[in-house]
Amino acid sequence: MSNGQTVRVGLIGTGNIGKIHLTGLSSLKESGLLDVQVTALCDTDKESLSLASNLFEVPIVYEDYMALVNDENVDVVYVCTPTNKHMDMVKAAAKAKKQVFCEKPLAHSCPQASEMLGVVIDSKVKSVVGLVLRYDQFLLYAKKLIETHSFGRPMLAHIRDDQRFPIGYLYRSKWRGVKSKAGGGTLLEHSIHDIDIIRWFFGDVVDVFAKVNYFSGKDVEDHASLILSHKNGAVSTLDSVWHWVDRPNERSIEFFFEKGYLAINLESGKRYLEYQLADEPPIRIWQEKADDVLLERLGLHSKNSISPDAVETLTSIGGERYAALSYAFLNAVTNGDEPTPSFKDAVAAHRIVDAAYESAAKRRPVGLL
Ligand SMILES: NC(=O)c1ccc[n+]([C@@H]2O[C@H](COP(=O)([O-])OP(=O)(O)OC[C@H]3O[C@@H](n4cnc5c(N)ncnc54)[C@H](O)[C@@H]3O)[C@@H](O)[C@H]2O)c1
């Protein structure tokens, strides 16, 4: 850090998610939550670079990521480029002893992700991966409920995640339909988030049975259905679809325990959590109540201890998870704590994804132990 305080960020990839992070970082600064400054930007697309530099008032711009990584005004590097570019950029940043934020998926495969984990460990730099659902207020609320109430043993998790094919429409993505760039489709590129949730809640997976389909004719899958057996005896199922229907993206999550049920609906505007314990009536939790648990997770114990702008930055729907993850990561960088979700968490999710692709190809379950 320049003066022992200001965290100086350099961000590579000023596209869709890069701009979301830049918005989060500037809100963290403006609301007084963090002493952070984005000092440099990099993109090979001149127009995107110039737009972001003007919008976020970042004076130093590069078209070559090595120049950003080696800039002495940069302490922390955000890697927000298409997935096939992550590995080289993370390696360069770690070699330059910069702390690293890398977007998910880390890479195209588990061996590549493991190599990246090895590099950040060897370089002794802090690192975090953009598995942002770890900072979703409803999921954090669910975690707390399970820890503090008698739900009993976990039996079944089910996640159904659907998105409009992210090529045109919202993302206008030039690379998501191309396997050599994205590495995979709805399972790797999007539902690695769901795999991470499943592991986070139900623990280690011992085997996976999967079916994937390519309805669109592209070389990335647009459907994946998985059955995952957990070490604790529970089973999770995941249905992930990229379709062409003009409907809001929706992530619907259900957890069945022997004596409890939890349902969480995310993304679509119908965001809520509902739970029920044994013979008690169901209880529905709306966002405001769940926000308190997110703030607690971030070490901010009361809404009254920070400004309304700060509360808005960390909890308002849209960019909130990204700002919350940046807040947690950059605080860990300054305090010397270990940030989460770690590259190790990401590698564990990649392992499951790789096993699912193998299972689909071999048409049989694949073990992970
Ligand atoms: N955590 C999340 O929820 C989340 C959401 C969306 C995207 N992502 C991930 O973020 C990454 C980027 O996705 P996106 O939607 O922002 O893509 P995008 O195409 O909108 O943006 C990527 C940017 O990187 C730039 N770029 C490409 N190669 C480059 C290079 N060599 N040097 C510098 N810049 C380069 C492109 O010009 C583009 O501006 C992907 O890995 C994606 O999976 C994560």
Side-chain angles (χ1 to χ4, degrees):
M1 315 309 116
S2 58
N3 53 9
Q5 294 231 326
T6 309
V7 187
R8 300 169 308 171
V9 171
L11 183 140
I12 314 172
T14 55
N16 161 44
I17 203 68
K19 286 206 253 332
I20 291 177
H21 285 302
L22 289 169
T23 305
L25 290 165
S26 72
S27 301
L28 288 170
K29 181 186 159 138
E30 297 301 320
S31 62
L33 278 164
L34 269 185
D35 187 0
V36 58
Q37 183 76 41
V38 179
T39 45
L41 296 175
C42 168
D43 205 297
T44 43
D45 179 331
K46 286 190 176 69
E47 207 179 313
S48 175
L49 186 58
S50 145
L51 187 90
S53 148
N54 290 332
L55 198 60
F56 297 97
E57 297 176 1
V58 183
I60 309 176
V61 292
Y62 298 110
E63 285 172 46
D64 175 2
Y65 75 88
M66 287 303 290
L68 179 139
V69 157
N70 290 316
D71 186 329
E72 59 181 24
N73 296 300
V74 169
D75 308 307
V76 180
V77 174
Y78 271 55
V79 176
C80 302
T81 48
T83 308
N84 60 322
K85 309 282 181 194
H86 292 180
M87 165 97 89
D88 289 346
M89 292 174 177
V90 166
K91 279 184 174 174
K95 200 171 161 211
K97 297 286 178 203
K98 306 293 165 84
Q99 326 299 328
V100 193
F101 181 115
C102 183
E103 262 308 339
K104 56 46 57 183
L106 276 188
H108 286 184
S109 70
C110 186
Q112 290 174 356
S114 300
E115 194 179 326
M116 292 160 80
L117 169 64
V119 168
V120 293
I121 291 175
D122 292 347
S123 306
K124 298 189 173 53
V125 296
K126 302 267 181 220
S127 55
V128 84
V129 63
L131 291 165
V132 281
L133 288 168
R134 298 269 185 144
Y135 291 87
D136 179 89
Q137 52 268 77
F138 289 102
L139 287 166
L140 287 165
Y141 197 97
K143 263 269 167 195
K144 189 165 181 182
L145 275 174
I146 294 164
E147 280 160 21
T148 52
H149 292 67
S150 301
F151 276 77
R153 285 183 298 177
M155 298 170 75
L156 172 71
H158 176 237
I159 301 185
R160 196 267 292 142
D161 194 345
D162 80 281
Q163 259 200 336
R164 193 161 166 181
F165 212 116
I167 296 182
Y169 173 57
L170 179 71
Y171 282 88
R172 302 192 193 290
S173 189
K174 295 180 187 135
W175 53 272
R176 278 183 175 78
V178 184
K179 192 171 180 192
S180 61
K181 294 185 176 169
T186 192
L187 175 58
L188 175 70
E189 163 50 27
H190 183 59
S191 281
I192 195 153
H193 283 300
D194 301 312
I195 298 288
D196 182 56
I197 297 172
I198 285 171
R199 258 197 80 244
W200 186 31
F201 277 81
F202 275 19
D204 286 342
V205 169
V206 291
D207 64 50
V208 54
F209 186 43
K211 170 93 185 143
V212 300
N213 276 309
Y214 300 81
F215 289 96
S216 74
K218 298 192 183 302
D219 62 355
V220 296
E221 78 286 354
D222 45 18
H223 158 247
S225 287
L226 275 59
I227 303 174
L228 306 145
S229 312
H230 293 267
K231 205 171 180 175
N232 61 12
V235 169
S236 297
T237 60
L238 166 67
D239 294 309
S240 176
V241 187
W242 278 350
H243 51 69
W244 302 92
V245 187
D246 185 7
R247 54 173 264 115
N249 300 335
E250 193 168 53
R251 182 175 268 125
S252 151
I253 304 167
E254 286 181 297
F255 296 113
F256 281 93
F257 296 80
E258 277 180 303
K259 290 184 268 172
Y261 168 74
L262 250 164
I264 301 161
N265 207 299
L266 299 179
E267 317 295 0
S268 61
K270 294 180 282 176
R271 290 169 58 91
Y272 63 86
L273 177 156
E274 194 167 275
Y275 72 99
Q276 187 166 10
L277 286 162
D279 302 324
E280 295 174 23
I283 295 174
R284 189 166 278 211
I285 303 294
W286 298 101
Q287 196 203 323
E288 203 177 323
K289 206 163 174 193
D291 285 347
D292 291 337
V293 181
L294 170 61
L295 295 178
E296 196 183 316
R297 166 73 181 81
L298 296 172
L300 300 162
H301 292 290
S302 146
K303 271 186 186 158
N304 301 329
S305 65
I306 50 174
S307 69
D309 275 358
V311 175
E312 172 88 6
T313 293
L314 295 170
T315 63
S316 69
I317 300 308
E320 82 292 0
R321 299 163 183 160
Y322 302 94
L325 173 54
S326 279
Y327 179 78
F329 171 52
L330 297 176
N331 264 321
V333 163
T334 354
N335 301 336
D337 298 336
E338 279 315 310
T340 56
S342 64
F343 274 31
K344 207 170 158 200
D345 293 318
V347 167
H350 272 283
R351 225 173 136 231
I352 297 169
V353 168
D354 279 15
Y357 285 131
E358 186 186 339
S359 163
K362 293 183 174 165
R363 297 170 181 251
R364 62 164 176 78
V366 168
L368 281 114
L369 287 183

